[in-house]
Each structure stands twice: as structure tokens, then as C-alpha cells.
Amino acid sequence: MIEVQNVSKRYGSVEALRNVTLTAPKGKVLGLLGQNGAGKTTLLNIITGYLAPTSGRALIDGFDALLEPEKAKRELGYLPEHPPLYDEMTVEEYLAFVAALKQVKAGAVNTHIREIMVKTGLMEMRERLLGHLSKGYRQRVGLAQALCGDPDVLVLDEPTVGLDPKQITEIRTLIRKLSAGRTILFSSHNLGEVRQLCDRVAILHHGEIKLDADIGDMGQSDTVTVLCTVQGSERRLVASMSHLEGVRGVNVLPQPDEDEVSLSLVFDTAAMPEKQVFTLCSAMGAPILRMARCEDDLEQVFLKAISD
């Protein structure tokens, strides 16, 4: 189990996390969602004991990650976004090295890492140098090292980033299998991935938990979310759309083109949002490049949470 209790983290005057409280129970997969800069990586670093919180604490199976690091890390397997691999080692050598660090008994190391290689599909690659592996296999090795020592808790940071569709499917299947009897927390930008893998989702926005709920509880919403991309002034568009009838929230989404503004707009269901947005943009002389109603429940929940 992972327990995060009133955790805050400051970097000088910047508050990266603010009174975050979160629980990930055993046998469940918890997905951590948030935009870039939301504080996800900071939170994972505190949970894994890499960073000290300014206040609050993180517990791994009841052990404080900061005050009892050896006990906490014995129960923890961590896959960072970029796995810490040594390219001059073979897969087998590297896993034996990690197993020794995790204090697996010397006489049991070979059997232990063999079981892990079978589980993660690495047996055919066991004598291959890590530096010669593809991105997909490097990610498998990263997951395999997290399993060394048979930890009860797995923390996975963007485990499928950069993989091709086949590799993503394989890693997702493996994560689901590993959840039996374990606690798994992973961060992702992929809503579809969270929907497929998770029992529960937590949404982090500007360092605060905006939502923490079971996936099954995210039923039909009483709001409508509209996504639109418009040419015009971000400041003027946000200010004007914030006064539309029935609007509950306006959030600016990342947009690579400087002369375009992408927005998520959350309305009451009876507000006729598309008509209002079209009328307003026409009056402002701001061309609408794309506009669509969001039909996905999880996507609506996410956009609403970050718009509050």
C-alpha cells in the first residue's frame, strides 16, 4: 500500500505540491493523471524516497520513505521514465546486479532473475548487451529491475512512453498481470491507457489533487465539455468565454502554434455550448479552426477537473 499524507513541496517561492493526500491500496492499479508541470514527477520522487517533502510524509507498506528508507525501498520497485541501465552489461548481468542491491540472497539470485526474465519476456535477450537493445526491450528491462526483490509496491513513471503500438499493448498486458497481489501506481498522459489499466484515478493539477475516484464511479456527467481551437488573442478569448451562459470552467490547453488558442470549455448540459461559442467567435472576428464535443467520460472528468 502507498499512503501519501498531506505532502507539500516547495522550491523556493514555488509550491510544486500542496497538501497532497492519496492512498493506493494493495491489489489495485492507481493512475496518476496531470498536465506537464502538474507535479506528478515531484510526487513520485517523494514517494520513492528520492526527494524529501517540505511537509507531510509518504509511506510504503507502513514505512516512511524518508525516515525508514531501507525498509521502504525493500517493498518498492521503481521504473522511472528513463530506466537507469548500464549499456556495457548484458540483461542477465544487470538484473543480477540489481538483485544484489535489493538484497536477494546470493544463492537465490539466478533462479529469481530467471523467473523475472520469463515474466517480462526477456529470456531470449538475456545475453544481449543493454546498449544494443531496442527501446521496447530497454523498457522491459526497466520493468524487470523494478521487480527484483519481489516488491509489494510498483511505481511506474510513463511506462509506455516512446513505444510502438505492439510494445505498448505488451507492456500494458504485463502491468495488468503484475497487479495481482501488488499495489501499482503509474503516471500517464494517456487517458485510454488509464481507462484500460486502472481501478482508480487521481488527477493532479497545479500541485493539488483535484479528483481521486474509482474508474467505475465516473458515470454520466451533468456537464458538457467542448474542445475548440481558435485564432485570436488568448487573453481576450478566455475573458469573453468565461462570461458565456452556463459555463463552469475555461482552461487553456497546450498548443504548438503561437497564433492559435486551444481551449476546453465546461458547460451545463442545457447551455447549447457550440452555438454560444460560434456566435461569440463570429462577433470577435476570431475564426474557429476546430470544435468538437468531448464524448469520453474520463476525458470530460479530466478536463473539468483541471478547469476548476
Side-chain angles (χ1 to χ4, degrees):
M1 172 182 277
I2 299 172
E3 297 175 86
V4 178
Q5 301 175 351
N6 298 312
V7 163
S8 294
K9 180 64 179 178
R10 284 186 173 276
Y11 297 98
S13 61
V14 177
E15 194 169 27
L17 296 174
R18 186 180 307 111
N19 295 323
V20 172
T21 294
L22 196 63
T23 299
K26 189 172 184 177
K28 300 292 185 180
V29 181
L30 173 64
L32 183 63
L33 286 172
Q35 294 177 291
N36 291 332
K40 299 191 305 298
T41 298
T42 297
L43 180 57
L44 295 187
N45 284 338
I46 289 173
I47 290 171
T48 56
Y50 182 73
L51 277 180
T54 304
S55 61
R57 62 178 186 163
L59 303 178
I60 305 296
D61 278 357
F63 300 114
D64 191 301
L66 183 64
L67 301 179
E68 303 170 282
E70 289 190 12
K71 292 179 180 179
K73 289 177 182 179
R74 194 173 293 124
E75 308 299 329
L76 175 69
Y78 178 38
L79 172 62
E81 185 175 349
H82 304 290
L85 307 183
Y86 297 105
D87 288 350
E88 69 278 9
M89 286 184 169
T90 66
V91 170
E92 196 165 21
E93 288 170 343
Y94 174 69
L95 293 180
F97 167 68
V98 175
L101 291 178
K102 296 295 287 283
Q103 300 180 351
V104 176
K105 292 181 179 179
V109 166
N110 289 339
T111 300
H112 182 62
I113 65 172
R114 184 180 181 86
E115 290 174 351
I116 290 173
M117 286 189 291
V118 169
K119 190 175 292 184
T120 55
L122 288 169
M123 280 300 292
E124 292 183 0
M125 298 289 165
R126 64 186 182 277
E127 296 180 359
R128 188 77 61 90
L129 288 174
L130 295 175
H132 294 169
L133 294 180
S134 68
K135 169 70 174 175
Y137 274 111
R138 289 176 70 86
Q139 202 74 351
R140 283 177 181 268
V141 174
L143 192 52
Q145 66 81 26
L147 292 172
C148 285
D150 195 24
D152 285 338
V153 175
L154 293 177
V155 175
L156 313 176
D157 190 1
E158 300 283 354
T160 60
V161 68
L163 303 185
D164 65 39
K166 181 175 183 294
Q167 293 167 339
I168 289 172
T169 299
E170 291 170 347
I171 293 294
R172 287 177 181 172
T173 300
L174 180 56
I175 291 171
R176 195 71 234 185
K177 288 179 180 178
L178 293 173
S179 67
R182 285 189 174 90
T183 299
I184 297 182
L185 169 64
F186 78 91
S187 71
S188 178
H189 288 94
N190 190 320
L191 296 178
E193 184 168 77
V194 170
R195 191 185 309 103
Q196 288 180 37
L197 287 177
C198 293
D199 305 293
R200 194 170 182 85
V201 62
I203 297 175
L204 191 64
H205 186 56
H206 294 323
E208 295 184 284
I209 295 292
K210 295 295 186 179
L211 180 84
D212 180 12
D214 288 338
I215 290 285
D217 292 340
M218 296 178 184
Q220 188 64 38
S221 174
D222 62 348
T223 61
V224 173
T225 300
V226 172
L227 307 178
C228 64
T229 301
V230 185
Q231 281 187 331
S233 163
E234 178 182 311
R235 182 182 59 79
R236 290 184 62 225
L237 285 166
V238 171
S240 298
M241 290 188 181
S242 296
H243 291 93
L244 291 175
E245 182 181 351
V247 71
R248 294 195 187 182
V250 179
N251 191 62
V252 180
L253 302 176
Q255 177 61 44
D257 296 323
E258 293 183 2
D259 62 339
E260 298 178 6
V261 182
S262 288
L263 302 167
S264 72
L265 310 167
V266 181
F267 287 86
D268 295 329
T269 52
M272 296 187 294
E274 292 90 348
K275 180 179 179 179
Q276 289 198 70
V277 171
F278 180 80
T279 302
L280 174 64
C281 288
S282 296
M284 294 177 66
I288 298 174
L289 304 179
R290 291 175 291 278
M291 182 163 61
R293 183 174 293 208
C294 176
E295 301 293 346
D296 184 280
D297 285 341
L298 181 55
E299 189 171 358
Q300 287 196 59
V301 168
F302 176 73
L303 292 171
K304 182 177 183 296
I306 66 174
S307 297
D308 289 342

